[in-house]
Amino acid sequence: MFSNFKIFLAELVGTFGLLVAATGSIVFDASHGGTLGPVFVALMHFIGLAVLIYAFGKYSLAHFNPAVTLGFFISGYTRRSQLPIYFGAQLIGAFLGSFFVKYVLGDFANLGLNFPNLSYSLGIIYAVEIVATVFLMAGILVVVHFKKLNILSGVVVGGIIALDVFFLGPVSGASMNPIRSLSPAIISGNLADLWLYWSAPFIGVILVGLFYKWKRKSEIKN
């Protein structure tokens, strides 16, 4: 069991890296007139998250996301006393990441802010964001539960995020991460869609976390 300080540091640096990879790829693409496109953005999500998970997963399980932290808590992998450590580190890391993107990569595309495609109904948008988060949390718990898959954690989780971003991003924005949406929204001053990214991802992880908890109890009884 690692110390709370190591968990805090891993989550802070990891969340910083997530913001740079996720929002930085969008900003970098926008600074080049959008010529790199969705494949580049999805690929940077995959590479960035895979590297971060392999670098910090052994210290904090590489949450980098308050919704994922809640999912880990519900499923029994994170203690209640650790929640403020995770949330605090993620908050600081996210804002540091957004400031880095703004002042190093440039002030483009609202700092990589997620936004829903309003050509779809709000019901579809909301459902897609929940589904994207369900895929993410389910993938995470699979590689955590089956120890033999731990070596594939970065590839699996990074791959799920990249696929969500590529296929579902054009509908809901595919944030899956409230803190990833919060810092660029506040720094860029665009708060209109935060309600979506501060509700749907939490619903997604609660659904998966409760199902996982029920499944484990059923296995123990049997």
Side-chain angles (χ1 to χ4, degrees):
M1 185 66 65
F2 290 97
S3 70
N4 288 337
F5 176 74
K6 286 184 178 179
I7 292 173
F8 180 87
L9 193 59
E11 285 295 299
L12 191 157
V13 177
T15 308
F16 169 86
L18 182 150
L19 264 291
V20 172
T23 65
S25 61
I26 296 170
V27 168
F28 188 77
D29 179 42
S31 72
H32 287 74
T35 56
L36 300 172
V39 173
F40 167 78
V41 172
L43 183 62
M44 290 301 101
H45 276 75
F46 171 70
I47 294 173
L49 267 296
V51 170
L52 291 167
I53 289 167
Y54 285 125
F56 300 109
K58 59 185 176 181
Y59 302 112
S60 69
L61 289 179
H63 298 193
F64 315 146
N65 179 338
V68 168
T69 298
L70 178 62
F72 270 121
F73 171 68
I74 293 170
S75 55
Y77 286 102
T78 299
R79 299 192 304 271
R80 185 186 302 272
S81 62
Q82 293 176 317
L83 295 181
I85 297 167
Y86 277 96
F87 293 154
Q90 292 158 3
L91 182 66
I92 296 169
F95 275 92
L96 290 177
S98 287
F99 280 121
F100 178 89
V101 168
K102 179 175 182 177
Y103 294 110
V104 175
L105 297 180
D107 193 357
F108 300 92
N110 292 320
L111 301 180
L113 181 65
N114 304 101
F115 60 91
N117 184 347
L118 296 179
S119 65
Y120 295 90
S121 70
L122 285 178
I124 290 175
I125 291 169
Y126 204 80
V128 167
E129 188 64 24
I130 291 174
V131 168
T133 312
V134 165
F135 287 156
L136 172 61
M137 194 71 225
I140 290 171
L141 288 178
V142 166
V143 296
V144 170
H145 182 81
F146 296 102
K147 303 298 183 184
K148 292 181 179 179
L149 296 179
N150 285 178
I151 194 172
L152 298 174
S153 59
V155 174
V156 171
V157 177
I160 290 171
I161 290 174
L163 291 172
D164 277 351
V165 167
F166 186 79
F167 289 106
L168 303 182
V171 179
S172 71
S175 168
M176 303 165 277
N177 187 338
I179 209 72
R180 175 255 182 271
S181 296
L182 179 68
S183 58
I186 289 180
I187 295 173
S188 67
N190 291 278
L191 308 177
D193 301 314
L194 273 181
W195 67 271
L196 169 63
Y197 305 118
W198 271 82
S199 56
F202 285 114
I203 293 173
V205 300
I206 289 170
L207 292 174
V208 175
L210 290 176
F211 176 79
Y212 180 82
K213 188 175 182 179
W214 169 79
K215 189 68 176 174
R216 287 183 73 183
K217 286 184 177 179
S218 298
E219 290 175 354
I220 292 171
K221 288 180 180 179
N222 295 330

